[in-house]
């Protein structure tokens, strides 16, 4: 068994352990023996790859950071939302319809992410890791993990930017001019609402999971705290696009999501 196979087998087992038991700051010799044994490698093979426990934890934390990006950035949401929009193309032809469509999409995405993403073991591990690593002393190992977390966060932002760029411009909304076409701040702010509520849910679940009735033109709707806060963030960043062309958006929906739609409004073209 070569070093890479040893590394892969032990890290796979360690990730399973973390997802079951949780994250800790250190690792005992007994746990090292257990992980090695469960992975089918000897202690000698383990120490040839990781001469000390801190090096092992550094590799483990970097791998956890990478996996969390995959779990947080649900690209299937874009495909599902695109299909949903295709069933409501008539709403694109009026301002009221577009507003209703945006609210429905944002509320659904917010509640899905709150209920599913923040309930996953990978997300809980990511949240714990982001806090845990700050207690490590400065040095190359801490820097490596922070770099991995940063790369994971940037990859997440890039993936979710695609969602906002495609969906919002397709339903007649654009970023406000002060954001200069950069969806990154919107992604981070919106994610912070959902993930912050996910953290607080463990201590005050009754408050975080509360629902409220709101009167709308079509009747009474039930809104969660997550959806209410999420739509507030989105409204702070976007505005209706006065140059929106419904028929172009409908054609775009038929064409798929390979190319991000580009608004031709003055705020985006610099005119």
């Amino acid at each position: 068994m070569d070093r890479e196979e040893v590394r892969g087998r032990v890290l796979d087992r360690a990730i399973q352990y973390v997802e079951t038991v949780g994250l800790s700051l250190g690792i005992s010799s007994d746990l090292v023996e257990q992980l090695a044994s469960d992975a089918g490698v000897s202690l000698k093979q383990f120490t040839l790859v990781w001469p000390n426990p801190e090096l092992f934890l550094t590799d483990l934390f970097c791998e956890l950071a990478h996996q969390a990006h995959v779990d947080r950035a649900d690209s299937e949401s874009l495909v599902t939302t695109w299909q949903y929009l295709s069933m409501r193309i008539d709403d694109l032809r009026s301002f009221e319809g577009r507003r209703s469509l945006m609210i429905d999409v944002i509320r659904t995405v917010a509640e899905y992410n709150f209920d599913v993403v923040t309930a996953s073991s990978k997300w809980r591990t990511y949240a714990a890791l982001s806090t845990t690593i700050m207690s490590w002393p400065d040095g190359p190992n801490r820097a490596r993990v922070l770099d991995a977390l940063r790369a994971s966060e940037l990859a997440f932002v890039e993936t979710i930017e695609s969602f906002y760029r495609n969906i919002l411009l397709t339903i007649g909304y654009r970023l406000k001019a002060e954001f200069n076409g950069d969806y990154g701040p919107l992604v981070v702010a919106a994610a912070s609402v959902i993930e912050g509520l996910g953290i607080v849910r463990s201590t005050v679940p009754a408050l975080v999971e509360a629902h409220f009735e709101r009167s709308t033109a079509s009747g009474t709707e039930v809104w969660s705290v997550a959806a209410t806060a999420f739509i507030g963030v989105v409204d702070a960043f976007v505005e209706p696009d006065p140059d929106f062309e419904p028929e172009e958006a409908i054609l775009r929906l038929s064409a798929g999501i390979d190319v991000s739609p580009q608004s031709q409004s003055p705020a985006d073209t610099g005119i």
Side-chain angles (χ1 to χ4, degrees):
M1 190 183 307
D2 61 23
R3 290 170 61 93
E4 282 306 305
E5 185 177 357
V6 170
R7 183 179 182 279
R9 293 179 67 165
V10 174
L11 287 176
D12 285 347
R13 182 63 191 94
I15 289 169
Q16 294 173 16
Y17 177 87
V18 169
E19 290 178 353
T20 302
V21 178
L23 198 65
S24 60
L25 282 171
I27 184 169
S28 67
S29 58
D30 288 343
L31 182 53
V32 167
E33 290 184 19
Q34 178 187 330
L35 292 175
S37 176
D38 290 348
V41 306
S42 67
L43 279 178
K44 181 178 180 181
Q45 289 172 311
F46 183 99
T47 55
L48 284 173
V49 178
W50 298 288
N52 61 67
E54 187 174 339
L55 289 175
F56 170 68
L57 285 178
T58 300
D59 275 1
L60 173 60
F61 288 178
C62 288
E63 187 61 28
L64 289 170
H66 170 71
Q67 291 200 5
H69 152 246
V70 176
D71 198 58
R72 291 169 74 210
D74 179 18
S75 58
E76 290 185 7
S77 294
L78 176 56
V79 177
T80 301
T81 305
W82 202 259
Q83 293 169 343
Y84 174 71
L85 295 181
S86 298
M87 295 187 293
R88 291 186 57 178
I89 56 175
D90 287 342
D91 286 325
L92 295 174
R93 295 189 168 99
S94 70
F95 171 79
E96 294 77 14
R98 293 193 294 273
R99 178 65 182 175
S100 173
L101 191 52
M102 187 190 80
I103 289 175
D104 288 347
V105 167
I106 295 302
R107 182 174 60 170
T108 301
V109 168
E111 292 179 349
Y112 171 83
N113 279 283
F114 180 69
D115 291 338
V116 177
V117 176
T118 66
S120 72
S121 59
K122 286 185 175 64
W123 177 82
R124 291 195 300 268
T125 298
Y126 179 86
L129 177 57
S130 298
T131 303
T132 297
I133 194 58
M134 301 310 296
S135 64
W136 274 29
D138 286 336
N141 292 329
R142 183 175 186 265
R144 270 192 63 206
V145 178
L146 287 174
D147 284 346
L149 286 167
R150 187 176 301 109
S152 177
E153 192 68 31
L154 291 174
F156 167 77
V157 169
E158 182 179 357
T159 300
I160 304 304
E161 271 191 25
S162 175
F163 177 87
Y164 287 113
R165 188 179 300 276
N166 276 280
I167 299 303
L168 290 175
L169 295 182
T170 299
I171 59 178
Y173 282 79
R174 68 183 185 187
L175 279 178
K176 293 179 180 178
E178 59 263 36
F179 300 110
N180 300 311
D182 183 3
Y183 284 78
L186 168 58
V187 173
V188 171
S192 296
V193 167
I194 299 301
E195 297 187 355
L197 288 171
I199 293 172
V200 175
R201 176 166 52 183
S202 62
T203 54
V204 284
L207 290 176
V208 174
E209 296 173 1
H211 287 73
F212 310 93
E213 290 188 351
R214 299 175 64 177
S215 296
T216 67
S218 58
T220 301
E221 297 178 344
V222 178
W223 280 68
S224 66
V225 173
T228 302
F230 199 88
I231 193 67
V233 169
V234 173
D235 274 339
F237 280 84
V238 307
E239 63 187 5
D241 184 346
D243 294 339
F244 177 69
E245 295 290 345
E247 298 309 317
E248 290 183 8
I250 292 169
L251 287 175
R252 189 180 302 125
L253 281 167
S254 302
I257 59 174
D258 291 335
V259 179
S260 298
Q262 298 297 319
S263 172
Q264 294 301 309
S265 301
D268 295 309
T269 61
I271 297 173

